[in-house]
Amino acid sequence: MAAAWLVHGFLLERMSRDFVESRLKDEVAFLEHQIRQSGGEIDALLTENYFHDDFYHSFAIQSPTQSIVFPHTLAALLSPLFQSEQQGAIRVRGASASNAPSDLLAFRKSFLVNNTRLVVIVSEDMAALQASQAEFHAWTAIVSILLILLLVGVIWLGITLSMKPIVSLQASLKKLQDGEISRISVHAPEEFRPLVKQLNQLLDFLDRRLERSRDALANLSHSVKTPIAAVRQILDDTSRPLGDDLRREMGSRLGDIDKQLEAEMRRSRFAGPQVGKSAYPVKQARELLWLLGRLYPEKSFELSTQLVEERRWPIEEQDLSEIIGNLLDNAGKWSSTCVELSLSEANEHMIIVVGDDGPGVEQDTVGELGKRGLRLDEQTPGHGLGLAIVCDIVDRYSGQTNFSHSHLGGLKVDVSFLRPN
Amino acid sequence: MRLLLVEDDRLLAEGLASQLEKAGFSVDTARTVREATLLGQQEDYRVGILDLGLPDGNGLDVLRKWRTNKASFPVLILTARGDWQDKVSGLKAGADDYLAKPFQTEELIARLNAIVRRSEGRVQSSVKAGRFELDENRQYLKMEDGTEHSLTGTEFRLLRCLMSHPHHVFSKEQLMEQLYNLNENPSDNIIEAYIGRLRKLVGVNTITTRRGQGYLFDDTV
């Protein structure tokens, strides 16, 4: 600001000086012209009214015979300039003559007319000019400051208005922190709606997770503590012989604990749909196919897909492993020679299909596959826990699991997820 | 049959050792990574049981050391976690099977017998062609720079067929024999799809198409 102000002052000064200088030069030229026309007779000029009426600059003319200074008050200031050798513009400052301006700009020119040397000086009082210049300069400053204030005001107003939703969001967050509200209201402007939605989803997710882990712990402690108490009781009773029946009983109790633990651990290990989590289905499928190929070396595990290796699916990595791994493991147990895994995408759906060439499942029991609580493997080992786990995860992603007959002869499991927008 | 049991839980190790001895194994027990690494390299075991959570390190490191030192006896790993990634990394490190704790002794013995049977007559064999090495036991394709790629059954068989006779032209019909019964009447497209996938692994120019004749593996590329 200060720099702009100084530059403005400097430019203003230079401009007015240049302007005055060029005018003085014109007038010197005019006087010279007049003098030349009158053949060097200065007195003739002075008699003309012109100078008194129209010539409003002070001037001085010197010939070898006489010198004229108009008006006379400036004689003390201008006379010394006759002796000066300098041609052109001369600044006269700090002269202390009474009734005379202290700051003058003069233009001096000497020339020959009929072999006599004449000197003409025209001058203007710069002080008066500078006063008005200063006034102009000051006004510029005042107007600029006013404009700046106005601009700041407008910017402040703009920022305040546009920050208003953030302030309300901030207030909501504060309320949320204090527990006054449980969700942020969705009356946010367009730009913040996804953020608010995301936050609310996160809160939902945390709530669900808390609820789930509480349920899991409650289930677990209920189903684990009792068998532990029973086994302990038997072990504490030193008088009771540890017969085969008792051993078997204790073994089955420990088995129950393990089953419960396993089920709950699996359940809490599933991530479910989460923002920012994705997996490479083809890469993972290849690893799992290879793994099962090693575990069942006499069977062939094949992949059929059009997806590229770099394709990502918005499913958490371990969840996807669990789905594909369990489907393949289940098919591997049942197949006689060959299991086929196919990964595809159609109409915004991500589709996993696993088929085997085993005996398959009877049409009337197909509907009961994968249902929690119903363990088909109690009658037929194989299609059981693994499929229940798959159904559980798929449910969490709001996907669908379908069981049907494979063209290979055995069971075919279709899993499909809708790709979230 | 000599068996190396690596398990740090004393109670479990003792119980297991006595059960295994009853089943006809002669059992050596190791409790730490150091002990296990040494025993595995010095002694000649027929089969090994390896717990992954050891007090002074990870069981997988023991397995890797065994495998790099050509100790090739089949190994069954015991793990308490049992997620799929764990299983994959266990088998990648060179294990032959895994079992999640807790387990029934009968199942353990059945699995041990199975991996021993599978490993019988197995020799460290690989097919080399040009920049590639195919590990036949582990169905792995090893690149020149040491990276490994897992292969599915059919991919492995096709590649083994092509790599065992570089520069020999295999017709589609010949290659079709390497396929298991994926479909009742497999079409030519299937071979093309597999060749396409193999090319992604080994490079487009390594497997060349001879129009109307078939495919060949070019080990000079």
Side-chain angles (χ1 to χ4, degrees):
Chain A
M1 275 307 294
W5 165 256
L6 286 176
V7 169
H8 179 255
F10 172 72
L11 289 177
L12 202 61
E13 164 96 31
R14 204 178 71 179
M15 194 183 78
S16 59
R17 195 198 144 116
D18 285 354
F19 176 67
V20 170
E21 220 179 276
S22 73
R23 252 180 41 188
L24 293 177
K25 194 178 166 186
D26 285 351
E27 279 168 18
V28 166
F30 175 72
L31 275 178
E32 186 188 346
H33 178 70
Q34 294 285 331
I35 291 168
R36 278 184 200 283
Q37 271 197 345
S38 64
E41 289 303 314
I42 305 167
D43 295 337
L45 287 172
L46 293 173
T47 54
E48 285 183 35
N49 284 339
Y50 172 79
F51 288 103
H52 300 284
D53 299 341
D54 297 335
F55 209 81
Y56 45 88
H57 285 128
S58 45
F59 67 93
I61 302 169
Q62 189 196 40
S63 69
T65 52
Q66 65 175 134
S67 60
I68 301 161
V69 178
F70 176 86
H72 300 292
T73 47
L74 288 180
L77 276 176
L78 295 182
S79 312
L81 294 181
F82 289 135
Q83 270 69 51
S84 164
E85 284 302 301
Q86 203 178 342
Q87 293 279 70
I90 304 164
R91 197 77 185 253
V92 184
R93 267 199 177 123
S96 52
S98 59
N99 305 338
S102 62
D103 193 354
L104 270 183
L105 184 67
F107 199 92
R108 179 181 183 280
K109 193 175 184 186
S110 73
F111 49 90
L112 289 174
V113 181
N114 301 336
N115 288 328
T116 47
R117 174 157 297 276
L118 287 175
V119 177
V120 174
I121 298 169
V122 181
S123 76
E124 168 144 11
D125 180 2
M126 291 300 278
L129 191 70
Q130 256 164 4
S132 61
Q133 190 183 310
E135 196 186 352
F136 175 66
H137 200 183
W139 270 110
T140 312
I142 291 165
V143 171
S144 312
I145 287 170
L146 284 178
L147 274 176
I148 285 169
L149 288 179
L150 190 70
L151 203 66
V152 167
V154 168
I155 289 174
W156 181 82
L157 198 70
I159 289 178
T160 315
L161 280 179
S162 60
M163 291 298 262
K164 218 170 154 189
I166 297 191
V167 173
S168 74
L169 199 64
Q170 195 186 17
S172 303
L173 283 175
K174 180 92 179 66
K175 273 190 196 165
L176 188 74
Q177 228 167 24
D178 295 344
E180 283 174 44
I181 51 173
S182 65
R183 293 288 179 275
I184 301 168
S185 72
V186 282
H187 301 304
E190 200 61 49
E191 294 83 355
F192 288 113
R193 240 164 253 170
L195 181 73
V196 168
K197 204 174 139 201
Q198 208 60 255
L199 265 173
N200 281 337
Q201 271 176 1
L202 202 65
L203 290 170
D204 284 343
F205 175 75
L206 284 175
D207 275 3
R208 273 204 307 275
R209 169 156 277 192
L210 179 68
E211 205 174 309
R212 231 176 17 232
S213 61
R214 279 212 184 116
D215 280 355
L217 282 179
N219 284 345
L220 205 60
S221 64
H222 175 76
S223 53
V224 166
K225 298 265 182 187
T226 317
I228 288 179
V231 171
R232 245 210 167 122
Q233 200 63 46
I234 295 169
L235 289 176
D236 282 348
D237 189 356
T238 44
S239 63
R240 201 168 167 187
L242 215 54
D244 275 357
D245 279 353
L246 216 49
R247 271 176 198 277
R248 245 196 311 279
E249 186 73 18
M250 279 166 69
S252 90
R253 288 301 170 90
L254 287 175
D256 288 348
I257 294 178
D258 177 46
K259 252 184 236 163
Q260 281 297 329
L261 208 58
E262 179 69 23
E264 291 303 339
M265 265 165 52
R266 269 183 194 283
R267 215 154 286 155
S268 57
R269 208 159 50 201
F270 305 151
Q274 269 184 45
V275 180
K277 294 278 183 193
S278 65
Y280 296 103
V282 178
K283 222 152 116 186
Q284 259 176 290
R286 291 188 76 95
E287 300 241 291
L288 290 167
L289 285 166
W290 173 81
L291 171 78
L292 286 151
R294 305 284 70 224
L295 296 180
Y296 301 94
E298 67 285 355
K299 294 171 188 175
S300 180
F301 289 81
E302 295 308 329
L303 173 68
S304 109
T305 182
Q306 300 292 325
L307 303 182
V308 290
E309 198 115 326
E310 293 75 29
R311 185 74 183 146
R312 281 166 178 272
W313 279 1
I315 301 175
E316 201 272 332
E317 201 178 317
Q318 254 192 47
D319 287 358
L320 187 63
S321 273
E322 206 71 35
I323 295 170
I324 300 179
N326 277 307
L327 288 178
L328 287 178
D329 192 33
N330 182 62
K333 270 179 203 153
W334 282 85
S335 68
S336 47
T337 57
C338 162
V339 175
E340 194 182 18
L341 165 68
S342 128
L343 302 172
S344 56
E345 284 178 12
N347 303 329
E348 291 298 301
H349 276 80
M350 305 171 280
I351 303 162
I352 303 171
V353 182
V354 172
D356 65 69
D357 60 352
V361 177
E362 291 298 318
Q363 198 62 53
D364 46 343
T365 48
V366 156
E368 288 166 8
L369 281 176
K371 275 193 187 154
R372 232 191 302 178
L374 185 101
R375 294 274 302 271
L376 274 188
D377 61 341
E378 279 165 7
Q379 302 119 44
T380 51
H383 302 296
L385 184 63
L387 289 185
I389 292 167
V390 171
C391 291
D392 208 10
I393 307 176
V394 173
D395 272 353
R396 260 199 222 169
Y397 284 88
S398 318
Q400 281 173 338
T401 319
N402 276 311
F403 301 95
S404 56
H405 277 287
S406 165
H407 68 274
L408 300 168
L411 180 71
K412 176 171 114 172
V413 188
D414 281 78
V415 173
S416 74
F417 304 96
L418 188 63
R419 193 177 261 283
N421 304 316
Chain B
M1 206 167 356
R2 291 194 70 186
L3 179 148
L4 175 59
L5 171 64
V6 185
E7 167 61 64
D8 61 313
D9 187 289
R10 205 174 44 80
L11 198 63
L12 179 59
E14 277 172 11
L16 213 51
S18 78
Q19 297 255 43
L20 288 168
E21 302 237 337
K22 262 188 233 165
F25 293 95
S26 94
V27 182
D28 285 351
T29 312
R31 299 232 161 84
T32 59
V33 167
R34 226 164 50 84
E35 215 179 333
T37 315
L38 269 176
L39 275 176
Q41 282 162 18
Q42 285 167 359
E43 306 293 316
D44 185 23
Y45 292 105
R46 192 69 194 82
V47 64
I49 300 173
L50 179 63
D51 179 33
L52 289 189
L54 292 174
D56 57 339
N58 192 329
L60 287 185
D61 295 335
V62 178
L63 188 52
R64 282 193 202 102
K65 272 183 208 150
W66 285 347
R67 293 311 188 216
T68 45
N69 287 302
K70 307 279 176 234
S72 60
F73 55 88
V75 170
L76 182 139
I77 50 179
L78 296 179
T79 155
R81 282 175 55 188
D83 54 74
W84 289 95
Q85 209 43 53
D86 238 27
K87 294 169 189 171
V88 170
S89 46
L91 262 74
K92 272 191 174 174
D96 293 79
D97 202 353
Y98 67 87
L99 201 55
K101 284 181 191 173
F103 47 81
Q104 305 264 313
T105 316
E106 295 80 39
E107 170 145 33
L108 176 67
I109 291 169
R111 298 275 193 105
L112 285 175
N113 284 326
I115 60 173
V116 168
R117 210 170 35 246
R118 241 153 58 193
S119 72
E120 260 160 24
R122 182 169 87 182
V123 280
Q124 197 63 39
S125 61
S126 64
V127 181
K128 267 191 188 174
R131 296 179 290 130
F132 306 100
E133 186 179 347
L134 198 60
D135 185 327
E136 293 204 56
N137 292 329
R138 296 173 55 221
Q139 287 198 3
Y140 250 109
L141 179 67
K142 223 184 195 168
M143 307 303 217
E144 205 175 26
D145 59 3
T147 52
E148 292 181 327
H149 289 281
S150 52
L151 299 169
T152 69
T154 304
E155 285 167 5
F156 169 74
R157 285 190 299 275
L158 280 178
L159 199 56
R160 185 177 55 186
C161 181
L162 288 166
M163 277 174 71
S164 56
H165 298 97
H167 295 289
H168 176 87
V169 180
F170 288 93
S171 69
K172 273 188 184 169
E173 288 69 33
Q174 280 173 307
L175 292 177
M176 207 91 83
E177 285 167 19
Q178 304 297 326
L179 296 177
Y180 277 29
N181 48 342
L182 275 178
N183 279 308
E184 272 131 42
N185 39 354
S187 62
D188 291 358
N189 295 345
I190 289 191
I191 291 288
E192 273 166 30
Y194 275 111
I195 293 288
R197 241 184 283 162
L198 289 176
R199 275 181 177 150
K200 268 188 201 156
L201 287 178
V202 299
V204 178
N205 297 324
T206 311
I207 300 176
T208 324
T209 311
R210 284 288 155 84
R211 199 168 281 278
Q213 298 176 54
Y215 301 92
L216 67 84
F217 191 91
D218 188 353
D219 61 358
T220 57
V221 177

